[in-house]
Amino acid sequence: MSDIHPKKLVILYILDILQKYTDEEHRLSQKEIQNILKREYEMTVDRKAVKRNLLNLIEYGSNIEYREVSRKDIFRKKDSVSYKGTSDFADQEISEDDLLWTDFYLKQKFTNEELRLLIDSLLFSKHIPYSQAKELIKKLESLSNIYFKSCSQYIYPLPVERTDNKQVFYNIAILDDAIRKKKKVLFEYAEYHTDKKMHLKKREDGSVREYIITPYQMAVQEGKYYLICNYDKYDDISNYRVDRIRNIQILEEKGKPFETLKWSGHQPMNLNEYMKEHVYMYSSENAFVKFRIVKAMISDVIDLFGKGVNFSEETDTHVSVSVHVNGNRQIIMRSDIKLPQPFASWSNSL
């Protein structure tokens, strides 16, 4: 960097200024850009140099918008105004020297609304460790300007009940590679004990249990990251929390094709259908269930199970629901189990 004359960096500094200080509602004139260059970068640059570098950025493809203003205070937009045949300009020519470029701003890659949506997904994703979530949020904030950053304070603080596995992204990368190569993986798996700490699962002899699986898909459900796979000892489907996986490695052995599993129907995996049938990611045989609800809960049922549900036996206040779901979900039909919402009200209406 020391071999480069500082003047050659002006174009990068100008792009940085536009990224940091501008959007459609916050624009800068050439004079304001000059002032920021002098104040923050200790560089004195004349107006022609600012304009020349802005032109170079636009020609390069930077998404920079601006206005052209005539010295007679006649405004026109660069792409939408033609002077040929226009009564205001028909009898006169406007030279480039008669025009000033002003109100520059950089069209950001993401809108503030899109960035907030991405940040919200990080805030409420329990499978991402606290420190990594904060780091990712800072990176997302850097994609906008200072005005967005000042708004993000109203979204904090981060939820506290999150995974403490800092290798989540490494696990995802390894699993993604294994899925692509159709290879088996080996890992250890952690679970909570009464001390509220994670411990590796062990066999009866006290040795750490190792899992050999064939991975098929990864999916987010209820704010948690799940691996959908086949546990090597069985001929069915298992689901594991990605944030609870430890010491993962890819094996050279080829994985089992999904079509060979007993629940597959000799068909490739349909992730959309699988997620509908496994709302809480239990891994067992699917079943057809029927239950009765108050009609005010129809929207909740559709949100939970999708539009594949069937309604019947409708009255003014209640309706029966039939749906194809994971077998373990049938516990909601038992009246002797104290159920969390929303299932308690469902079973009470039967």
Side-chain angles (χ1 to χ4, degrees):
M1 187 70 72
S2 59
D3 295 331
I4 302 176
H5 193 277
K7 293 291 184 181
K8 294 183 178 179
L9 298 177
V10 172
I11 190 168
L12 298 178
Y13 293 154
I14 290 176
L15 184 59
D16 189 53
I17 289 169
L18 294 174
Q19 168 72 45
K20 188 176 180 181
Y21 291 108
T22 70
D23 55 33
E24 192 169 0
E25 296 180 359
H26 304 87
R27 308 184 184 205
L28 293 175
S29 66
Q30 293 181 52
K31 179 64 176 175
E32 288 169 326
I33 294 173
Q34 280 181 277
N35 292 339
I36 296 173
L37 282 169
K38 186 173 182 179
R39 183 177 68 246
E40 297 190 13
Y41 299 90
E42 299 180 349
M43 297 191 71
T44 302
V45 181
D46 61 34
R47 187 186 63 81
K48 289 185 177 180
V50 171
K51 182 177 180 179
R52 183 173 62 252
N53 282 284
L54 285 166
L55 264 175
N56 290 336
L57 286 170
I58 292 169
E59 289 177 3
Y60 174 71
S62 297
N63 208 355
I64 297 171
E65 297 288 333
Y66 61 93
R67 282 196 307 162
E68 287 182 353
V69 184
S70 77
R71 295 183 186 277
K72 296 179 181 179
D73 295 327
I74 299 174
F75 294 84
R76 68 185 177 96
K77 291 185 180 180
K78 178 174 179 285
D79 294 324
S80 61
V81 176
S82 172
Y83 297 106
K84 183 178 180 181
T86 304
S87 59
D88 291 336
F89 301 100
D91 299 325
Q92 58 181 309
E93 292 185 2
I94 297 180
S95 68
E96 189 173 331
D97 290 337
D98 291 328
L99 296 172
L100 294 175
W101 289 19
T102 189
D103 291 347
F104 291 91
Y105 73 94
L106 181 69
K107 292 188 73 173
Q108 306 289 345
K109 293 181 179 179
F110 294 92
T111 66
N112 287 351
E113 291 72 24
E114 289 170 336
L115 285 175
R116 287 195 183 98
L117 182 63
L118 292 171
I119 287 175
D120 283 348
S121 68
L122 287 172
L123 289 172
F124 299 101
S125 294
K126 296 181 179 180
H127 59 277
I128 301 177
Y130 178 86
S131 59
Q132 289 179 318
K134 286 192 69 176
E135 185 179 339
L136 285 171
I137 287 172
K138 287 181 180 178
K139 290 180 179 179
L140 286 173
E141 286 178 338
S142 71
L143 297 176
S144 188
N145 50 39
I146 59 170
Y147 310 106
F148 174 79
K149 205 168 229 181
S150 65
C151 295
S152 66
Q153 60 182 305
Y154 304 114
I155 305 175
Y156 287 91
L158 293 172
V160 293
E161 292 185 6
R162 308 175 72 88
T163 179
D164 58 358
N165 183 6
K166 294 179 173 59
Q167 289 192 318
V168 169
F169 294 112
Y170 176 76
N171 291 347
I172 292 171
I174 293 295
L175 288 168
D176 186 63
D177 194 31
I179 292 170
R180 182 168 49 83
K181 295 178 178 178
K182 299 182 179 180
K183 296 288 185 69
K184 293 183 180 180
V185 300
L186 180 147
F187 58 75
E188 298 165 353
Y189 198 67
E191 62 182 356
Y192 279 108
H193 287 187
T194 53
D195 60 1
K196 300 179 182 178
K197 295 180 180 179
M198 298 295 286
H199 299 267
L200 292 176
K201 294 193 74 169
K202 296 182 178 180
R203 300 186 182 91
E204 291 183 1
D205 62 4
S207 61
V208 175
R209 183 176 176 181
E210 292 183 335
Y211 294 75
I212 297 177
I213 62 95
T214 298
Y216 300 117
Q217 292 275 4
M218 287 178 283
V220 176
Q221 186 78 317
E222 296 287 312
K224 304 174 183 68
Y225 227 128
Y226 288 92
L227 167 66
I228 304 169
C229 62
N230 165 253
Y231 183 44
D232 210 45
K233 295 172 67 174
Y234 303 105
D235 191 27
D236 55 14
I237 301 171
S238 298
N239 302 315
Y240 294 95
R241 287 270 295 274
V242 174
D243 57 300
R244 296 183 181 177
I245 291 174
R246 304 290 191 271
N247 304 318
I248 188 171
Q249 56 182 293
I250 298 180
L251 303 178
E252 288 300 317
E253 187 178 353
K254 283 286 186 181
K256 293 181 188 176
F258 181 84
E259 295 85 348
T260 65
L261 304 181
K262 67 177 182 180
W263 296 345
S264 69
H266 304 292
Q267 298 294 322
M269 184 176 187
N270 185 322
L271 183 60
N272 186 46
E273 289 299 320
Y274 185 85
M275 298 303 292
K276 285 182 182 178
E277 295 170 356
H278 296 74
V279 182
Y280 284 107
M281 299 305 288
Y282 293 116
S283 54
S284 69
E285 196 166 355
N286 295 330
F288 185 79
V289 298
K290 184 176 181 180
F291 53 93
R292 195 160 179 80
I293 60 170
V294 293
K295 292 177 72 173
M297 297 187 67
I298 289 175
S299 294
D300 298 311
V301 169
I302 291 176
D303 284 344
L304 193 59
F305 296 104
K307 294 183 179 179
V309 300
N310 293 313
F311 297 110
S312 62
E313 302 170 6
E314 181 179 357
T315 67
D316 290 340
T317 57
H318 289 72
V319 65
S320 294
V321 182
S322 302
V323 61
H324 197 62
V325 296
N326 179 254
N328 278 332
R329 292 296 306 284
Q330 292 187 72
I331 60 170
I332 69 173
M333 308 306 293
R334 290 180 50 187
S335 59
D336 60 320
I337 297 178
K338 186 176 181 180
L339 300 171
Q341 292 294 337
F343 301 128
S345 56
W346 293 2
S347 61
N348 289 339
S349 68
L350 291 172

